[in-house]
Amino acid sequence: MSQYLIHESNFERLSKKLRTIENKCNKYNIGFKFNVIGEEIKEVEIDSPEGKETVSVKYIVVDVEGTVKHNDWTFVAVVDHKEAGNVIRQYVTDLEVPERYYTTDKVCEHCNTRRNRKDTYLVYNEVTGEWKQVGKSCLEEFTNGLSAEAVAQYISYFDRLIEGEAVPSGSGYERYYPVDEILLYARECVRHFGYWKTDAERSTKERATDYYRACTGGIVVSKSYTARLFEEMREVNFNADTEENTRFVESALEWIASTTDNNSYMHNLRTICSEGYGKYKDLGILVSLISTYIRQVERDAEVAERKQKAADEASASSHVGNIGDKVKVEVSSFECVYSQDTMYGPCFLYKFVDMIGNVFMWSTSKWLADDAQISSLSGTVKNHDEFKGVKQTFLTRCKVVCA
């Protein structure tokens, strides 16, 4: 069994060709198994108008199994005779070709004649373990039935597979970009230039991709434009490959992988981020992970701050006085936590915190400006209550003193 990588753009066309060759091979009792087993992204060097460039492309991985065999003789390889030595084009890879064939002359070991042959065939007897180098015209006679036509069909099958490995010239191929590396560049772009959506004049997707290609040996549009990209990066000390960026991207990918939000955007983002590589058309969604995760981190920090504030209040606040007592509060802070319109007019619920953290509540129709400089509050204890673990002293008939 042999494994081949077929470039994705060649696969559909090649599959049809291989099926045709298979049908011809069946006439000679040559059985083939052609199975797709997966996909693989590889970096290859291509020729662009401005020079050579390394790009990531996708291949379809296929397993191929088949033999040309007759009367215990199996066709193994073609010997391409050259002045400097022989090139052994082996089609059965699980057999070790004897070294003598690396330099053997253009001699058919069946008829023992030397001719000006371009190549000869190597065959192997599975019963006796014997190897023979034979000419094309002697193949069928020597093996009692292994025809040159059958071998030709067999060879053409593998030749087609080898052709399928080639990346199309020009722009007839799809580039693939490593998700984690593009995100490093996107993170650094956001740090220096902010986040810009794909419909912006210079989007984060475009900038991050251009910088990535320039920094990894690619040529972006032209040499002059690539030089301009490097100048842009120098001006802001651009460096995508930092520990801070790496930690951020790793955390962002872990976060999106663990989310359960199932709206279409989050679903698409989670799917694209789960792939090792992405197409250019997917990079707009991919780089949006940076701004989405930044907002999530900010929200988490706000929630944590509120929880900590509530915990601090809960530990600091105690009930003050007895019901009916008159108390005076030295105010540290205050806020309106609730308001509504009633049949008697507007009603406001204020929260006051004194200098040692005790919480006081006052419900009144009196409006207090948010920026009022309140120094003290005097009132009568109406009742004691507790909200989310925070002890509260409710006051009534209060008097406010401003600084």
Side-chain angles (χ1 to χ4, degrees), residues 316-330 352-361 377-386 390-396:
S317 183
S318 299
H319 291 142
V320 176
N322 297 312
I323 295 175
D325 289 351
K326 295 184 180 297
V327 297
K328 183 177 181 180
V329 179
E330 298 298 323
F352 297 84
V353 180
D354 69 9
M355 298 299 180
I356 60 175
N358 294 320
V359 176
F360 299 85
M361 308 298 294
L377 177 76
S378 300
T380 302
V381 176
K382 182 179 181 182
N383 67 286
H384 293 138
D385 204 346
E386 188 171 311
V390 180
K391 293 179 179 179
Q392 299 175 332
T393 300
F394 277 77
L395 303 179
T396 187

Side-chain angles (χ1 to χ4, degrees), residues 12-24:
E12 184 176 355
R13 172 180 52 81
L14 182 64
S15 296
K16 294 178 181 178
K17 291 283 186 181
L18 291 177
R19 299 307 176 197
T20 300
I21 296 173
E22 278 183 354
N23 292 334
K24 293 180 179 179

Side-chain angles (χ1 to χ4, degrees), residues 353-372:
V353 180
D354 69 9
M355 298 299 180
I356 60 175
N358 294 320
V359 176
F360 299 85
M361 308 298 294
W362 178 33
S363 180
T364 178
S365 60
K366 182 179 178 63
W367 178 75
L368 301 176
D370 293 341
D371 58 353

